[in-house]
Amino acid sequence: MFSSLFSTTDPTAPNFHPVSERSDHFGKLEPGDLEWTCSGGFVTETQVFYHFLEDGTMVLCQVIHSSIGLWSPTVQFTCKVYNPNTKETIWRSINVSNFITPPPGLDKRSCKADQFSITLKPSADQEHPEMYTIRANLSDDLQVSLDVLRPASVPGFKVGNGPKGGFSYFGPDKDKPEGYVVHRFWPRTVASGHIIHNGQAIAAKGMGMMVHAIQGMRPNLVASRWNFATFQSNAHGGVSAIQMEFTTLKTHGRRGDGSGGVTVNVGSLVLGGKMAVVTAETKWPDEKQSEESRIMSRVTHVNPIHDPDTGYKQPSSLVFQWAGESLVGDCPGSISASLTVDVGNPNAPKGLVEKVDVLAEIPYVIKTVVNYVAGTKPYIYQWQNYAKLNIRGPDAIIPGLSHGLEIDGLLFNEASFIS
């Protein structure tokens, strides 16, 4: 008690340490980075696979492991199949039973339950050395069977090397944090298999990405906003552009409580079928970002409009930007990219897949324990559109890149409003 009365902790000391401040942006994934931690306390751990099929259909498969203090963890498997041509959405979210990791004979990068299995094994294909297999029986009318392979030329990554790579820490002491956020990515994958819906088989062949993420504190205390984007194209041997961004509450910043609203953005570019750039950038609330920066990783909401359905201001369009130094060994130089997507407005949306009412989707006990601020109703906007990625860089990566190239592809992006 007396030590707390005479605490020397400086209330204006930094209590947030963003991963985007690390100088070693590209951190190659080690096998342990993709292992399930299934930590106790208030921890949400997810593994998400996003893929575009050949006809433009988007397939999302996600496992969510939620620990809530002394309560038993809740594990969900969610699946969304969205066909932009017919506007049909297939959606399932189930609480699974008998979740275990690792399954017999495998390590903790794999998991299974009565309703699904996701296993990671070496592949016999040297050009795609690692493979996740996803098998899920979600209901009488929906089964999923996918093989997800990582190209050898596109390693998985985190921001920063070593066991602490990928981590943003909350609290004044990074060694004893109040909480943390970590992301690990496979930024480019190829998938094959099928989805059976109402007895009809849908061929599932396409391109995408995977992310394994952990929020090591209550989700309503981690961030007020999230943005996510995955752009994929088969042009020029394979092009991918991804971003994950969150903005802290005002409680966490570099001058303690009240200095927050810090935006952390990490991303990557795959060009010519090779990992080309890993980007990371911090937007401090008291600083203006330069448009001339050689390192850039950011998204801008343009012309926000009040949406009476959610109570939030949704963007009319979004601008994503990347810039950094080439990771391709024999192709040194700077690389930059930008993408603008028009998502319309609440009265005339463009590419809107769904406005997800977060509280309606999470289990009741988690909803109760998290104890969201009264009147707050988190929503996630999901859009899918055809888009053009404008890129510039060394010609040795893609011929003509020094003069700028416009790449056609598919973009799935989310804007989440938590508070």
Side-chain angles (χ1 to χ4, degrees):
M1 180 180 73
F2 293 106
S3 63
S4 64
L5 289 174
F6 297 99
S7 173
T8 58
T9 301
D10 182 358
T12 63
N15 67 354
F16 179 62
H17 309 276
V19 71
S20 45
E21 291 297 281
R22 294 190 59 143
S23 59
D24 54 338
H25 286 169
F26 175 68
K28 189 173 181 180
L29 290 189
E30 302 298 332
D33 290 328
L34 292 178
E35 290 185 348
W36 284 91
T37 64
C38 301
S39 301
F42 290 89
V43 179
T44 302
E45 185 170 6
T46 66
Q47 188 180 59
V48 198
F49 298 82
Y50 302 87
H51 284 91
F52 298 114
L53 307 187
E54 291 180 331
D55 66 350
T57 294
M58 188 272 294
V59 178
L60 181 159
C61 293
Q62 179 179 29
V63 180
I64 309 169
H65 184 285
S66 302
S67 296
I68 42 175
L70 299 176
W71 297 78
S72 297
T74 299
V75 183
Q76 291 173 277
F77 191 103
T78 66
C79 178
K80 177 173 287 185
V81 182
Y82 172 69
N83 187 322
N85 305 306
T86 64
K87 308 301 181 185
E88 179 186 12
T89 299
I90 304 167
W91 166 249
R92 295 290 184 278
S93 180
I94 62 172
N95 289 344
V96 305
S97 53
N98 297 317
F99 174 88
I100 62 169
T101 180
L106 298 171
D107 61 32
K108 294 189 72 173
R109 292 176 295 176
S110 301
C111 63
K112 71 180 292 292
D114 291 344
Q115 297 83 359
F116 81 93
S117 67
I118 298 181
T119 59
L120 179 62
K121 297 179 179 179
S123 166
D125 180 358
Q126 292 186 352
E127 294 184 358
H128 299 86
E130 293 182 292
M131 176 177 68
Y132 276 103
T133 62
I134 304 173
R135 305 289 184 262
N137 187 353
L138 303 176
S139 61
D140 291 341
D141 61 350
L142 183 61
Q143 295 85 42
V144 177
S145 177
L146 289 178
D147 293 339
V148 177
L149 293 93
R150 179 187 64 79
S153 56
V154 187
F157 79 92
K158 57 191 176 183
V159 173
N161 284 295
K164 294 187 177 181
F167 281 85
S168 291
Y169 291 106
F170 294 77
D173 187 348
K174 290 193 292 185
D175 294 325
K176 298 179 181 179
E178 298 169 0
Y180 59 90
V181 172
V182 61
H183 293 90
R184 287 87 173 232
F185 302 92
W186 279 9
R188 177 75 175 180
T189 56
V190 294
S192 62
H194 59 269
I195 297 163
I196 298 177
H197 182 235
N198 289 331
Q200 300 295 315
I202 302 170
K205 183 180 180 181
M207 54 193 171
M209 63 161 289
M210 183 278 293
V211 57
H212 191 123
I214 309 174
Q215 294 183 40
M217 60 193 296
R218 300 186 186 192
N220 58 312
L221 302 180
V222 170
S224 61
R225 299 285 189 272
W226 288 87
N227 285 290
F228 166 74
T230 171
F231 171 92
Q232 302 289 340
S233 172
N234 283 326
H236 302 285
V239 172
S240 163
I242 67 171
Q243 278 190 18
M244 182 72 76
E245 178 187 278
F246 69 94
T247 301
T248 70
L249 281 66
K250 293 186 181 300
T251 52
H252 287 84
R254 61 179 169 186
R255 295 185 180 88
D257 189 5
S259 68
V262 184
T263 298
V264 178
N265 188 304
V266 300
S268 69
L269 295 171
V270 173
L271 304 176
K274 299 178 180 179
M275 173 64 85
V277 178
V278 170
T279 60
E281 188 176 19
T282 312
K283 181 180 180 182
W284 300 101
D286 57 346
E287 288 185 0
K288 185 177 181 180
Q289 290 178 307
S290 170
E291 290 300 322
E292 305 300 323
S293 175
R294 291 176 60 85
I295 299 174
M296 194 178 296
S297 195
R298 64 183 72 162
V299 54
T300 304
H301 286 203
V302 179
N303 190 23
I305 298 175
H306 176 76
D307 181 357
D309 290 344
T310 67
Y312 293 105
K313 287 188 175 181
Q314 74 141 87
S316 300
S317 62
L318 300 96
V319 179
F320 297 90
Q321 296 169 283
W322 298 259
E325 293 301 309
S326 170
L327 294 171
V328 183
D330 55 351
C331 307
S334 297
I335 299 173
S336 62
S338 65
L339 183 155
T340 300
V341 58
D342 181 358
V343 296
N345 59 60
N347 294 323
K350 296 181 179 180
L352 181 67
V353 178
E354 188 178 0
K355 301 174 190 177
V356 179
D357 180 348
V358 176
L359 293 184
E361 298 296 340
I362 64 177
Y364 173 78
V365 69
I366 299 175
K367 187 186 315 181
T368 302
V369 174
V370 165
N371 189 21
Y372 281 90
V373 177
T376 298
K377 195 170 186 180
Y379 271 91
I380 303 173
Y381 289 81
Q382 296 179 330
W383 296 280
Q384 179 175 323
N385 288 280
Y386 286 97
K388 296 181 182 294
L389 180 71
N390 293 287
I391 54 175
R392 188 179 296 270
D395 286 334
I397 297 178
I398 300 175
L401 195 60
S402 64
H403 297 289
L405 292 176
E406 190 175 73
I407 307 296
D408 292 319
L410 276 165
L411 172 73
F412 175 80
N413 67 293
E414 296 180 335
S416 301
F417 297 87
I418 309 301
S419 61

